[in-house]
């Protein structure tokens, strides 16, 4: 499950987990330690390498520098599309909710601190997260598309308006998706920006 911060990845991931019974892993729960501490790169890569060796998983989270560890093992990638304003709105609304005591939006170990009454920040760096949202929409998604084409992974780009709360989710995708393997990266970018839904099939 990939997409801009604030696109709604976690919400859709939870819905798919309920429908599919796949074990859901939120990367932010693994990545962030107490007080928003980051793991070393070597420890983080080792964690992910071990994780993707499991037989089944549904992973929610970007961390684009680790795509080379995940994509070779992925059967399907779901990209949640969103606009910059919508993503920013969701991120800032989430930060406000956390300030108001809705700790369920925090990564696991920070949530545990907050539930104990310890003072915690709503995010590691709200300004940095804002910049990351803008950067994703104007450059990072092109890097992501190039990686997906390189590893030849089946990919679904889902419009922000798609709901997967019912069992109609998969038939909906099948009826709305088209093959884009022959498109160039520039055409993919234009398709992505249009907010439409696409399906990349593997070569037979």
């Amino acid at each position: 499950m990939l997409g801009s911060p604030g696109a709604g990845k976690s919400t859709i991931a939870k819905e798919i987990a309920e429908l599919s019974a796949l074990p859901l892993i939120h990367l932010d729960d693994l990545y962030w330690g107490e007080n928003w501490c980051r793991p070393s790169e070597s420890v983080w890569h080792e964690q992910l390498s071990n994780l993707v060796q499991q037989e089944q998983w549904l992973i929610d989270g970007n961390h684009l520098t680790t795509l080379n560890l995940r994509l070779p093992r992925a059967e399907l990638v779901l990209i949640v599309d969103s606009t910059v304003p919508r993503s920013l709105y969701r991120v800032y609304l989430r930060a406000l909710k956390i300030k108001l005591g809705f700790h369920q939006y925090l990564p696991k170990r920070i949530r545990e601190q907050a539930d104990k009454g310890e003072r915690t920040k709503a995010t590691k760096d709200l300004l940095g997260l804002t910049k990351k949202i803008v950067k994703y929409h104007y450059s990072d998604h092109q890097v992501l598309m190039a990686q997906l084409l390189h590893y030849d992974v089946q990919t679904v780009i889902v419009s922000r308006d798609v709901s997967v709360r019912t069992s109609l989710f998969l038939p909906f995708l099948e009826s709305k998706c088209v093959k884009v393997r022959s498109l160039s990266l520039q055409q993919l970018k234009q398709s992505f920006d249009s907010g439409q839904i696409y399906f990349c099939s593997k070569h037979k």
Side-chain angles (χ1 to χ4, degrees):
M1 186 73 61
L2 301 169
S4 167
K9 299 185 299 297
S10 296
T11 300
I12 293 180
K14 290 174 184 176
E15 295 169 358
I16 293 176
E18 291 176 1
L19 290 171
S20 65
L22 289 171
L24 174 59
I25 298 105
H26 299 288
L27 289 187
D28 280 351
D29 285 346
L30 294 179
Y31 185 78
W32 294 110
E34 292 185 354
N35 301 313
W36 294 97
C37 290
R38 291 184 172 94
S40 67
E41 184 176 333
S42 61
V43 168
W44 177 232
H45 282 210
E46 182 178 0
Q47 279 185 297
L48 283 184
S49 296
N50 292 335
L51 173 63
V52 298
Q53 294 305 314
Q54 297 178 22
E55 186 173 345
Q56 290 185 320
W57 40 262
L58 171 60
I59 295 178
D60 158 41
N62 278 335
H63 297 270
L64 299 182
T65 58
T66 65
L67 287 177
N68 63 312
L69 300 176
R70 289 177 282 158
L71 293 184
R73 297 280 299 172
E75 293 182 356
L76 178 71
V77 171
L78 191 66
I79 301 176
V80 184
D81 180 21
S82 180
T83 62
V84 171
R86 185 177 177 85
S87 296
L88 290 173
Y89 169 78
R90 289 174 63 95
V91 163
Y92 278 83
L93 179 62
R94 182 174 62 200
L96 176 60
K97 287 181 177 179
I98 292 170
K99 289 291 187 182
L100 294 175
F102 294 87
H103 300 155
Q104 67 266 31
Y105 296 104
L106 288 165
K108 181 180 178 182
R109 277 166 282 189
I110 302 165
R111 180 170 66 247
E112 291 171 349
Q113 285 185 277
D115 288 342
K116 292 176 184 176
E118 298 181 30
R119 187 178 180 84
T120 59
K121 296 169 61 177
T123 185
K124 171 69 173 178
D125 177 10
L126 191 56
L127 177 60
L129 191 56
T130 299
K131 292 178 179 178
K132 185 177 290 187
I133 290 171
V134 175
K135 183 174 180 286
Y136 175 87
H137 283 85
Y138 288 98
S139 61
D140 283 352
H141 75 277
Q142 291 177 296
V143 175
L144 171 57
M145 288 296 181
Q147 289 267 34
L148 291 168
L149 289 172
H150 174 73
Y151 286 103
D152 200 22
V153 184
Q154 288 188 349
T155 303
V156 177
I157 303 177
V158 183
S159 165
R160 57 190 172 274
D161 298 321
V162 169
S163 173
V164 296
R165 292 188 182 279
T166 71
S167 59
L168 297 176
F169 172 62
L170 291 179
F172 174 83
L173 288 180
E174 290 171 356
S175 67
K176 295 293 184 180
C177 293
V178 297
K179 295 180 180 179
V180 297
R181 173 60 59 189
S182 61
L183 297 184
S184 66
L185 284 178
Q186 181 61 32
Q187 289 171 314
L188 280 172
K189 179 183 183 301
Q190 293 170 352
S191 300
F192 184 88
D193 291 342
S194 71
Q196 294 174 302
I197 303 170
Y198 293 92
F199 176 76
C200 293
S201 63
K202 291 184 178 180
H203 291 298
K204 299 298 183 181

